[in-house]
Amino acid sequence: MAELKASLACAAFLLSSAVLAFVEDLDDTFKDNRMDDVWLVDFYAPWCGYCKKLEPIWHDVGAELKNSGSPVRVGKMDATAYSGVASEFGVRGYPTIKLLKGELAYTYKGPRTKDDIIEFANRVAGPAVRSLPSRQMFDHVLKRHDVLFVYVGGESPLKEKYIDVASELIVYTYFFSASEDVLPESVNLPELPSVVVFKDGSFFTYDEYEDGSLSSWVNRERFQGYLQIDGFTLYELGETGKLVAIAVIDEKEPTEENIRLKGLIQRVATEYREHFNRDFQFGHMDGNDYINGLIMGEVTVPSIIILNTSNEQYFLPSEPVETLEQLVHFINSVLDGSAQAYGGDGIFQRIKRVAYDARSTVMSVFRSSPVLGCFLFGLPLGVISLMCYGICTAESDDGAEELEMMKREGLTDEEEEEEEEEEERRRQAGKPEAPEDEEGEVERDEKSAVEKKTD
């Protein structure tokens, strides 16, 4: 039995050592020694709950990249212990995941899952623009990616711009280059060189005069025309500068109205792409919980809502949307500014947001753990109540003590008045009255004195 325990302990130690070997602990010497390798680094804080949740996933990422022969080295750094290094890499919160390649630092903003982090690491660690040498390779890549950017042509100023954009936006998507003969015969380009995006079963060509800068065009086109939207996707869509038109539905109960509104949004995304693609992203969201928190209100299910994530405004149809024409009219009214806008980021809305978030936090705590809620919020209120009661009671006691002292000393105002009145009565009662003859004598003496003085 003792030997079995010893074997298990030894196996656990070896396993933990192997796991730790896949993820390196970094210190302040890292910034001087990192330039020769590509690093994927988790900047964490020991007290951070999200960091602790990421820790087992991070070890799996390190093991997967090591076993697959990836050139990416995986590390972690305590950003509170080495705050200077973390600050140099622009770390502002925890955990922060960055891929460091030479002088470049790319911040990961996707879901914190093993597969997504590994896909990000492999994409960013490789060349910014990957070559497609054959039709078979093109078909293979097209099947793997919902959105595919391809530069077609030889050396040109456009290719230089494309490489610069790819270096900037590779955190979001892949970039490829190919010759014209690699593309399918159905793809006819108006001119060469060109930048083409393949998505939604079709392809679209970049036009510098109509689409503006290449970087802005790629940023707008990096999503499919129609998406299933969640909180994370909505956050990413905010970086495109587009308004987001959403059908809020309940996928658990696919009623006729749910299906109809979802179908209308899909039709607008497809049939009116040329009209709205530059300014709108279309999709649907399952349930209204996230939307309700975003607008600090209640959105009915199913319904249509358009969000402007740049200034937190939102738009609702003035009447129920029954037809495609009504939906197109509503979208046009938002585009031309005639639709009623709600929300915003003004001072009133900011105050409302603070109050709403505080209320939501309190309610969520009480829903998840009533006992903890009573302790967190009841205890401070109880202490404050006791302090107020103590202050009021202390003032009352002081008054009572002073009154009692005055009573003991016989110095109250009422008692003093009573004593003075009593003494006055005694003086008046004890004073003798002068006889009438004596009074007359006194008066005559006074008159004689006055007459003599006059003479």
Side-chain angles (χ1 to χ4, degrees), residues 369-401:
S369 178
V371 176
L372 179 61
C374 292
F375 177 77
L376 290 178
F377 301 104
L379 183 60
L381 290 176
V383 171
I384 294 172
S385 300
L386 288 174
M387 290 174 63
C388 294
Y389 176 78
I391 293 171
C392 297
T393 305
E395 291 178 354
S396 177
D397 291 343
D398 292 342
E401 290 176 2

Side-chain angles (χ1 to χ4, degrees), residues 116-373:
D116 287 305
I117 295 173
I118 289 174
E119 196 272 341
F120 163 81
N122 289 329
R123 180 175 71 247
V124 179
V129 178
R130 292 167 165 83
S131 177
L132 299 175
S134 65
R135 175 75 59 83
Q136 291 78 9
M137 182 64 72
F138 175 86
D139 293 338
H140 172 73
V141 170
L142 188 61
K143 290 178 181 178
R144 290 187 58 190
H145 301 279
D146 296 324
V147 179
L148 186 68
F149 289 96
V150 182
Y151 171 84
V152 184
E155 298 297 326
S156 69
L158 180 60
K159 185 174 183 179
E160 294 178 4
K161 291 182 181 178
Y162 183 74
I163 294 174
D164 291 340
V165 171
S167 300
E168 174 191 355
L169 300 179
I170 195 171
V171 292
Y172 301 118
T173 187
Y174 283 93
F175 294 87
F176 298 90
S177 65
S179 59
E180 188 177 17
D181 57 354
V182 168
L183 304 180
E185 296 177 357
S186 58
V187 178
N188 295 316
L189 301 179
E191 62 180 2
L192 293 177
S194 291
V195 178
V196 188
V197 58
F198 295 86
K199 67 176 186 177
D200 301 329
S202 184
F203 68 94
F204 309 94
T205 306
Y206 166 68
D207 187 324
E208 183 177 2
Y209 298 102
E210 293 185 2
D211 300 318
S213 71
L214 180 59
S215 177
S216 299
W217 179 78
V218 170
N219 196 37
R220 291 196 303 269
E221 295 289 346
R222 61 188 175 91
F223 293 98
Q224 294 175 274
Y226 182 88
L227 296 169
Q228 179 170 358
I229 298 174
D230 55 18
F232 174 75
T233 308
L234 191 60
Y235 170 79
E236 279 203 316
L237 289 172
E239 298 183 357
T240 67
K242 290 185 177 183
L243 301 174
V244 187
I246 303 174
V248 184
I249 62 174
D250 187 354
E251 292 190 313
K252 301 178 185 65
E253 297 181 7
T255 62
E256 181 178 346
E257 185 67 7
N258 280 307
I259 297 172
R260 187 182 67 81
L261 286 182
K262 180 180 177 181
L264 287 178
I265 287 284
Q266 287 176 322
R267 286 185 60 189
V268 171
T270 303
E271 299 175 17
Y272 289 82
R273 173 187 160 82
E274 293 186 2
H275 294 84
F276 299 134
N277 179 69
R278 185 183 182 89
D279 302 292
F280 289 90
Q281 175 65 51
F282 299 93
H284 72 272
M285 180 174 284
D286 183 20
N288 63 352
D289 291 341
Y290 187 85
I291 293 292
N292 289 345
L294 195 65
I295 69 172
M296 297 179 287
E298 185 76 21
V299 175
T300 58
V301 179
S303 63
I304 300 291
I305 185 172
I306 295 179
L307 302 174
N308 185 343
T309 56
S310 64
N311 61 7
E312 300 182 12
Q313 286 186 338
Y314 64 95
F315 305 86
L316 298 171
S318 57
E319 57 185 13
V321 176
E322 301 291 342
T323 64
L324 181 65
E325 289 73 21
Q326 286 180 313
L327 180 55
V328 171
H329 180 267
F330 170 54
I331 296 173
N332 277 320
S333 68
V334 173
L335 195 58
D336 62 27
S338 60
Q340 172 79 39
Y342 302 92
D345 56 359
I347 183 64
F348 175 76
Q349 289 296 321
R350 293 179 185 179
I351 296 173
K352 184 179 178 182
R353 168 60 63 185
V354 172
Y356 181 87
D357 290 343
R359 175 177 171 271
S360 301
T361 301
V362 172
M363 291 182 65
S364 64
V365 170
F366 274 100
R367 278 196 300 265
S368 60
S369 178
V371 176
L372 179 61

Side-chain angles (χ1 to χ4, degrees), residues 15 18 20 39 42 54 57 59 75 85 112 150 163 165 236 270 305-306 317 330 332 345 393 408 435 439 452:
L15 179 61
L20 291 174
W39 282 91
D42 168 30
L54 176 63
I57 298 173
H59 288 309
V85 180
R112 296 187 186 118
V150 182
I163 294 174
V165 171
E236 279 203 316
T270 303
I305 185 172
I306 295 179
F330 170 54
N332 277 320
D345 56 359
T393 305
R408 289 176 182 174
E439 289 180 359
K452 289 178 179 181

